[in-house]
Amino acid sequence: MLDTRELGRRPGSQRTVTLTAEAPAELGIEILGVPEGSEVEFDLRLEAVMEGVLVTGTATAELEGECARCLEPIEDEITIDIQELYLYDDSRDAAAASDDDEETDVRRTEGDLIDLEPVLRDAVVLALPFQPLCQDDCPGLCTECGARLADDPDHRHTEPVDPRWAALQDLAATDED
Ligand SMILES: [Zn+2]
Ligand SMILES: [Zn+2]
């Protein structure tokens, strides 16, 4: 929660804020995310506008996860851009507003406070790669024995490991005759 009291409501009034918060649970996607309780650093500029508070800046957080191809642990850092307008929560009838807001995705201040968590959540999920990789060209795992090919690029199997594959190869060979 971010306190906007010092900012005031005079349009054009600005303040920069740096703050560190603990990451909430389940921030990210299943395979890659910000560890719960790790530090998230916000570097923000608050600006009072006519209808609310404009928040712009960045959030920097640790990332932990695993490579989508070879399952090697990944540790990284992510910096996310944040840009969000929080409308003053007293600018409209609160009951009517909360119904509309769910559909229109409007964010509102809560008194003098701003809740950064939902914005952080959305921004992190958008910024994460759909398929995190330990390296851009991770070759993944050997389909036959599960060895990590990045560790052993020349990895080959001359003999099929699984006898069922051997049987299939025999069939294929017979077809060609
Ligand atoms: Zn990998
Ligand atoms: Zn193998």
Side-chain angles (χ1 to χ4, degrees):
M1 285 287 188
L2 193 57
D3 198 332
T4 66
R5 226 170 322 173
E6 285 180 38
L7 178 69
R9 288 198 173 190
R10 194 165 51 84
S13 157
Q14 292 187 11
R15 246 186 104 215
T16 53
V17 179
T18 54
L19 79 139
T20 305
E22 280 193 7
E26 291 171 15
L27 182 59
I29 55 178
E30 200 175 328
I31 198 165
L32 184 69
V34 182
E36 182 177 356
S38 67
E39 290 192 345
V40 181
E41 285 176 32
F42 291 94
D43 202 343
L44 302 173
R45 193 179 59 124
L46 309 185
E47 184 181 351
V49 294
M50 287 303 273
E51 61 274 69
V53 180
L54 182 64
V55 180
T56 51
T58 57
T60 305
E62 287 170 41
L63 279 183
E64 271 179 21
E66 54 189 34
C67 174
R69 286 191 199 147
C70 75
L71 310 180
E72 187 78 356
I74 297 178
E75 281 185 31
D76 206 348
E77 199 183 75
I78 192 172
T79 299
I80 316 145
D81 289 326
I82 288 178
Q83 181 170 31
E84 198 69 42
L85 176 66
Y86 289 82
L87 300 180
Y88 292 126
D89 62 354
D90 52 14
S91 61
R92 275 200 295 160
D93 175 57
S98 65
D99 283 350
D100 286 0
D101 291 354
E102 290 209 357
E103 282 163 34
T104 53
D105 231 6
V106 168
R107 299 191 199 281
R108 289 180 186 276
T109 60
E110 296 168 28
D112 291 318
L113 300 177
I114 277 177
D115 187 2
L116 290 171
E117 189 184 319
V119 171
L120 179 68
R121 232 170 240 293
D122 289 357
V124 164
V125 170
L126 278 177
L128 291 180
F130 183 61
Q131 277 212 317
L133 298 177
C134 60
Q135 57 193 60
D136 285 348
D137 56 351
C138 173
L141 300 175
C142 171
T143 51
E144 289 185 41
C145 72
R148 186 173 177 252
L149 295 176
D151 294 334
D152 189 3
D154 298 325
H155 185 94
R156 294 271 182 290
H157 293 272
T158 43
E159 298 294 323
V161 170
D162 188 323
R164 283 171 298 181
W165 289 112
L168 281 173
Q169 282 183 348
D170 284 348
L171 277 176
T174 320
D175 277 356
E176 276 168 31
D177 291 342

